[in-house]
Amino acid sequence: MISKRARSVDTSGIRRVFDLAAQLTDPINLSIGQPDFDAAPAVKLAAKAAIDEGKSRYTVTQGIPELRAALRSRYELTDEQDVFVTAGVSGGLLLSYLTLLDPGDQILVPDPFFCIYRDLALMVNAETVYYDTYPDFRSTAERIERALTPQVKAIIVNTPGNPTGVASTQSEVDDIVELARRHNLVLIYDEIYDAFCYDEPHPRCLDRYENTILLNGFSKSAGVPGWRIGYVAGPKPLLSQMTKLQQYTLVCANSVAQWAMIEALEVDYSEQLQAYRKKRDFVVAALEDVLELVKPGGAFYVFPKAPGGSGQQFVERCIKENLLLVPGSVFSRRDTHFRLSFSAPMETLERGVEVIRRLVS
Ligand code: PMP
C-alpha cells in the first residue's frame, strides 16, 4: 500500500533517541533545533491585529505585496530577481527540489547536513551526492569540486550550518560562486541562521551569482518556528516555476504570519544575538579541553567528536544521565560526532556540560 518513496525515508536514528527520551522526566534537553525566545511583543500584536481585521483568507500564491516589497528592499533585488513567501525554509526546499530535479539528477549536499536535504532527494527520486566537510566542517570550492559529477544540477550551501554551527567567510562563498558559475550549477543558499553570526558578518551570495536560490525565513530569527513562514529569492524564471508548484501544493504561506513578519523585519534582535553569543562562548569554554570540537561561528549548535568514537553510543550514555543530545548519524553518513544545541537557558547548559565533563573524565 505504501509507496517506495515513503518507505525510502528512514527516520529510525532520531526515533530511537526520541523513544529513549520519552522515558525521561524533566530531561536536560540540549537537542532542540529552535530558538528559546518567544516572538517579540510587536510581532504578536501585529498577528493579533491581522486576525481581528479578518486577514484570514488565502493570500495570493506568492505572498502579500507588502511583505514581498519589504524583502525586495532588504535584499536589494534587481529587476531580474524576485522573492516569494512560503511555508518556512522547508517549503522553499521542497519547491526547489520539485522544480530543479528530475529522477536520476543529482544534488550536491554537505556532509554533515540538515537531514531534509537528503530526504527530499529521496522523495523526488533524485540522488544525493555528498561533499565531505570533516574535520573542520568548512564548505569549500575545492571540496565541492572534488565531489562534482556531470549529473549534478545544484549545490546546497548552508551557512551558518546545522548541525555544525560553522559559518562561511565571504571569500569561501565567492569561490563556490565561481565554481558554480563555471559548471552552470544552481546554488541553493540556505541562510536560515543568518541572524546568528557571532564573529563575522554573514556572507552574501544572491548579489554575486544570478543562479542563486536564496532560502531564508523567520523560524529562528524571529522565534516563530511554529508559524511556518519563510521566503525564496532568486531569478524570476525559476521562481515563477516554483510559485506555480506552490499554488498546487502549499497554496500560500500562513496569512496571519505574513502580516506579522512585516513587523518582525523591523525588530531589533541584537539582545538575543548577544545572549546566544554568550551561550556559545560558555559551551565552548566548558567543553573544549575535554572534547575535540570546532568553535561554531554561528547558529546555535556545537558538533563535537564523540568520546569513544560512536555518537550513537555516547548519546545513549548521556540519556541514561538524563541529558538529551542528537547523534551525528542523524546528520551524516558517519556516526563519529554528536550535536549539542545551546538554544537553552544558561542553567540548563550548565547542567548539561557538567554531565558531559563527568562522563568524559
Ligand atoms: N534549514 C536548516 C539548516 C534548518 O536547520 C532548518 C530548521 N531546523 C530549516 C532549514 C527549516 O526551517 P523552517 O522550515 O522552520 O523555516
Side-chain angles (χ1 to χ4, degrees), residues 33 87-90 93 114 117 158 162 190 192-193 219-220 228:
V89 170
S90 305
L93 281 165
F114 172 47
Y117 300 157
N158 170 215
N162 179 9
D190 180 349
I192 191 164
Y193 296 100
S219 291
K220 321 284 174 179
R228 309 308 308 131

Side-chain angles (χ1 to χ4, degrees), residues 33-34 87-93 113-117 158-163 190-193 215-220 224-226 228-231 300-301 339:
Q34 53 187 337
V89 170
S90 305
L93 281 165
F113 50 86
F114 172 47
C115 19
I116 285 185
Y117 300 157
N158 170 215
T159 182
N162 179 9
D190 180 349
E191 59 165 33
I192 191 164
Y193 296 100
L215 303 176
N216 203 342
F218 300 92
S219 291
K220 321 284 174 179
V224 293
R228 309 308 308 131
I229 180 103
Y231 50 89
F300 31 71
Y301 309 112
R339 189 187 79 174

Side-chain angles (χ1 to χ4, degrees), residues 139-155:
S139 292
T140 65
E142 195 195 357
R143 285 171 172 169
I144 292 172
E145 186 150 35
R146 223 180 293 141
L148 206 55
T149 76
Q151 289 77 42
V152 169
K153 283 180 93 175
I155 313 170

Side-chain angles (χ1 to χ4, degrees), residues 19-61:
D19 288 348
L20 287 168
Q23 299 158 15
L24 303 179
T25 45
D26 190 26
I28 308 164
N29 194 348
L30 303 185
S31 72
I32 305 223
Q34 53 187 337
D36 73 340
F37 54 86
D38 197 4
V43 173
K44 289 184 183 177
L45 279 178
K48 287 175 197 162
I51 292 174
D52 290 340
E53 288 160 19
K55 290 171 171 162
S56 300
R57 314 264 167 214
Y58 298 124
T59 71
V60 283
T61 307

